[in-house]
């Protein structure tokens, strides 16, 4: 009997997208449950009482939360198309860059998204610095995994989409092809891969959703 | 330890993040050289070169190859020196451990430090936050001896260093971890019986003195 895998997610959530990518790359069949975030299901709250967030992966009845934790779990259970390298130093570097993206790139892009005027320019500058640092993690390679996608590509690649959305909505420059040519090329290459591209929601839907999201955030701040 | 292995830790005595690494190495029986950084006077060139992104301790150098971020380092230590295993053998157990480590990383130290380094109303608010977080930690521990069950392991190493900062938070926040969280308190005592922990965790009174000095230096007091 096939083991059962369910993913609780939200269509516009990049953290859900990471998990969809990981599952697809490994060829894992799963049931997808779309959560209505303003009205989270009792099941979600039961599965993730600590953070009450998506994504949540349930495997053989056992729930897991936090997308990077879920990704490592998926990689350990389904050993084909490994995402993390075998050697401990390579694994440590992969974890480091994935955490760096979440700790530094994501919040600074978010701050740029909601800021206005001078604050926006300052936030964009900080975000560009972090993106430039992220570029150094590529070590001149086309993908973090070299010839093939690896853990970091899957964990961080979504920023390429979201940064462009923020650029469009907030009218800022984040991924600068002149100052970050490798990063720019990496996002382009990664997001064009068929398996990756298939899972990404339509651009205009994401744009519309994020415009609305920005209105909520900026209204809430006043 | 095999011939020709060079293990260096760029360290700071009061940093709970550095303590994690030292305890993990102690558990594995790995000999290492600890180099104390002068965080206030001037960070060493090796630190700035090895960790240009964050410029923080701990930095772990194994045969010259640098790693930073303490949870990443502890995982590396566990994977490089296999015995005794710090993470549980089953995949789901490992994922649960990583989840809790992530929670502790995101929440616990900031909460403890906020209580220790704040004043007046801010301390009350910080204390409430810390208590909520300790409830989660307490719930995860339950009636077990250690977070992983009967054996000392990954989460214990991740969490125990913060307890050296509890006294400072208790004095500033006017509360007692032992009274509010007897299970956590029992766990602390059990951990402190291990040589790898007892050797490394500083006297909480010394941390409290450090906090007082830091508060004065930064105009909080």
């Amino acid at each position: 009997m096939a083991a059962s895998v369910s993913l609780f997610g939200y269509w516009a959530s990049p953290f859900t997208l990471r998990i969809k990518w990981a599952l697809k790359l490994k060829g894992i069949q799963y049931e997808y449950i779309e959560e209505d975030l303003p009205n989270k299901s009792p099941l979600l709250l039961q599965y993730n009482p600590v953070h009450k967030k998506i994504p949540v992966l349930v495997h053989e009845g056992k729930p897991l939360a936090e997308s990077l934790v879920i990704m490592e779990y998926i990689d350990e259970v389904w050993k084909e198309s490994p995402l993390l390298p075998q050697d401990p130093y390579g694994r440590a570097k992969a974890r480091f860059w994935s955490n760096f993206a979440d700790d530094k790139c994501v919040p600074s892009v978010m701050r740029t998204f909601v800021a206005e005027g001078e604050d926006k320019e300052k936030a964009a500058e900080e975000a560009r610095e972090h993106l430039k640092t992220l570029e150094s993690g590529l070590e001149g390679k086309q993908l973090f995994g070299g010839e093939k996608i690896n853990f970091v590509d899957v964990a961080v690649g979504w920023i390429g989409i979201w940064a462009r959305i923020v650029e469009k909505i907030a009218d800022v420059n984040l991924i600068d092809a002149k100052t970050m040519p490798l990063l720019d090329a990496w996002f382009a290459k990664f997001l064009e891969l068929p398996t990756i591209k298939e899972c990404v929601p339509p651009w205009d839907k994401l744009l519309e959703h994020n415009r609305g999201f920005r209105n909520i955030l900026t209204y809430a701040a006043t | 330890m095999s011939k020709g292995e060079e293990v260096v830790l760029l360290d700071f005595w009061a940093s709970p993040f550095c303590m994690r690494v030292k305890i993990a190495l102690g558990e594995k029986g790995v000999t290492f050289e600890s180099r104390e950084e002068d965080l206030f006077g001037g960070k060493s060139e090796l630190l700035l070169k090895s960790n240009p992104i964050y410029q923080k301790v701990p930095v772990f150098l194994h045969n010259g190859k640098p790693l930073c971020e303490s949870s990443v380092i502890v995982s590396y230590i566990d994977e490089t020196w296999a015995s005794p295993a710090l993470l549980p053998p089953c995949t789901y157990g490992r994922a649960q451990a990583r989840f809790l480590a992530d929670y502790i990383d995101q929440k616990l130290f900031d909460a403890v430090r906020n209580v220790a380094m704040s004043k007046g109303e801010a301390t009350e608010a910080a204390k409430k936050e810390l208590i909520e977080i300790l409830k989660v930690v307490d719930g995860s521990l339950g009636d077990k001896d250690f977070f992983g069950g009967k054996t000392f392991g990954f989460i214990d190493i991740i969490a125990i260093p913060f307890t050296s900062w509890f006294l400072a938070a208790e004095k500033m926040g006017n509360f007692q971890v032992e009274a509010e969280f007897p299970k956590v308190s029992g766990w602390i005592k059990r951990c402190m019986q291990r040589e790898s922990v007892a050797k490394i965790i500083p006297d909480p009174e010394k941390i409290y003195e450090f906090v007082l000095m830091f508060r004065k230096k930064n105009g909080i007091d």
Side-chain angles (χ1 to χ4, degrees):
Chain A
M1 188 162 72
S4 69
V5 181
S6 314
L7 174 65
F8 289 73
Y10 181 64
W11 72 272
S13 155
F15 304 102
T16 304
L17 183 57
R18 282 173 166 168
I19 308 305
K20 286 182 178 170
W21 279 337
L23 291 167
K24 188 151 180 123
L25 287 164
K26 301 260 187 184
I28 300 164
Q29 305 282 8
Y30 64 100
E31 180 200 1
Y32 177 70
I33 298 120
E34 177 75 11
E35 279 286 325
D36 175 21
L37 293 187
N39 300 296
K40 290 171 182 172
S41 72
L43 204 52
L44 174 66
L45 300 178
Q46 180 196 319
Y47 283 146
N48 189 3
V50 173
H51 296 297
K52 303 180 174 46
K53 288 181 178 177
I54 48 90
V56 166
L57 187 86
V58 185
H59 180 216
E60 292 173 341
K62 294 178 289 196
L64 275 177
E66 288 306 288
S67 53
L68 293 180
V69 172
I70 296 171
M71 276 176 62
E72 283 216 37
Y73 176 79
I74 290 171
D75 204 37
E76 282 187 33
V77 174
W78 291 275
K79 298 199 189 301
E80 49 280 282
S81 309
L83 295 173
L84 277 174
Q86 291 288 16
D87 69 296
Y89 193 70
R91 294 162 76 83
K93 284 211 304 196
R95 289 174 181 133
F96 173 82
W97 285 112
S98 308
N99 288 331
F100 174 80
D102 277 4
D103 290 344
K104 294 290 186 187
C105 300
V106 174
S108 57
V109 170
M110 271 302 282
R111 277 193 290 274
T112 314
F113 188 46
V114 300
E116 306 272 3
E118 239 181 68
D119 290 340
K120 190 174 74 175
E121 259 324 300
K122 266 201 210 124
E125 201 182 307
E126 194 197 331
R128 282 194 295 272
E129 264 174 47
H130 292 318
L131 289 168
K132 185 76 191 152
T133 303
L134 181 63
E135 186 186 59
S136 71
L138 274 166
E139 294 172 350
K141 305 194 298 290
Q142 291 203 325
L143 296 167
F144 275 91
E147 296 294 307
K148 280 173 16 162
I149 324 180
N150 81 353
F151 192 90
V152 185
D153 298 296
V154 177
V156 182
W158 66 272
I159 296 181
I161 308 167
W162 262 258
R164 293 276 180 237
I165 288 181
V166 171
E167 284 177 343
K168 181 118 181 131
I169 297 175
D171 191 27
V172 273
N173 177 232
L174 289 173
I175 303 170
D176 187 340
K178 273 197 292 254
T179 55
M180 306 168 210
L182 279 178
L183 194 75
D184 189 45
W186 165 58
F187 281 135
K189 185 180 174 86
F190 174 73
L191 295 167
E192 273 308 305
L193 296 166
T195 318
I196 298 301
K197 204 170 175 176
E198 270 166 39
C199 299
V200 181
W203 170 261
D204 3 347
K205 270 191 86 180
L206 279 177
L207 203 57
E208 188 194 337
H209 168 80
N210 279 285
R211 276 197 212 278
F213 187 45
R214 183 171 193 261
N215 288 339
I216 296 172
L217 288 174
T218 45
Y219 178 73
T222 54
Chain B
M1 189 176 78
S2 41
K3 266 197 296 212
E5 287 263 46
E6 193 199 41
V7 181
V8 175
L9 176 69
L10 303 184
D11 192 9
F12 183 65
W13 72 276
S15 157
F17 304 100
C18 294
M19 291 173 214
R20 287 169 166 180
V21 177
K22 289 180 280 193
I23 294 170
L25 290 167
E27 284 290 310
K28 302 280 188 176
V30 174
T31 314
F32 65 98
E33 179 198 346
S34 155
R35 295 188 197 166
E36 185 78 5
E37 284 284 329
D38 180 5
L39 295 184
F40 304 106
K43 293 171 181 173
S44 74
E45 231 180 273
L46 183 58
L47 172 60
L48 299 176
K49 193 180 88 172
S50 312
N51 188 1
I53 295 172
Y54 293 110
Q55 302 189 352
K56 286 181 177 177
V57 289
V59 173
F60 182 76
L61 295 128
H62 185 201
N63 296 327
K65 290 199 295 195
L67 278 177
C68 46
E69 294 302 287
S70 58
S71 297
V72 171
I73 297 170
V74 172
S75 294
Y76 174 83
I77 290 169
D78 197 30
E79 291 176 12
T80 304
W81 292 277
S83 171
L86 300 177
L87 278 170
C90 89
T91 320
Y92 187 67
R94 279 202 291 283
Q96 284 181 308
R98 289 189 186 115
F99 173 84
L100 191 55
D102 176 70
Y103 179 82
I104 289 169
D105 271 355
Q106 279 184 45
K107 307 270 190 188
L108 186 55
F109 187 57
D110 280 353
V112 173
R113 192 188 44 202
N114 286 344
V115 179
M117 300 291 189
S118 62
K119 245 170 117 156
E121 262 173 47
T123 309
E124 261 319 292
K127 185 174 93 182
K128 286 203 171 90
E129 168 88 12
L130 176 58
I131 287 178
E132 284 312 304
I133 293 163
L134 285 172
K135 280 186 188 155
V136 173
V137 172
D138 187 70
S140 300
L141 179 65
D143 291 315
K144 305 194 294 288
D145 284 350
F146 299 105
F147 282 93
K150 292 219 171 293
T151 3
F152 181 81
F154 189 78
I155 294 297
D156 306 295
I157 295 175
I158 293 296
I160 193 68
F162 300 125
T163 65
S164 64
W165 280 66
F166 279 177
L167 180 71
E170 285 170 334
K171 293 222 182 186
M172 295 302 164
N174 194 25
F175 75 108
Q176 293 246 301
V177 170
E178 179 149 8
E180 313 242 1
F181 300 101
K183 287 180 187 163
V184 169
S185 188
W187 164 76
I188 296 172
K189 294 192 177 87
R190 276 190 292 280
C191 288
M192 291 303 291
Q193 281 168 1
R194 293 188 79 77
E195 196 191 330
S196 64
V197 178
K199 246 172 79 168
I200 297 302
I201 302 290
D203 182 354
E205 287 287 354
K206 290 220 154 61
I207 297 284
Y208 178 51
E209 271 168 42
F210 171 77
V211 165
L212 289 176
M213 182 240 4
F214 192 87
R215 285 174 68 102
K216 240 199 201 118
K217 202 172 167 133
N218 288 277
I220 305 171
D221 287 332

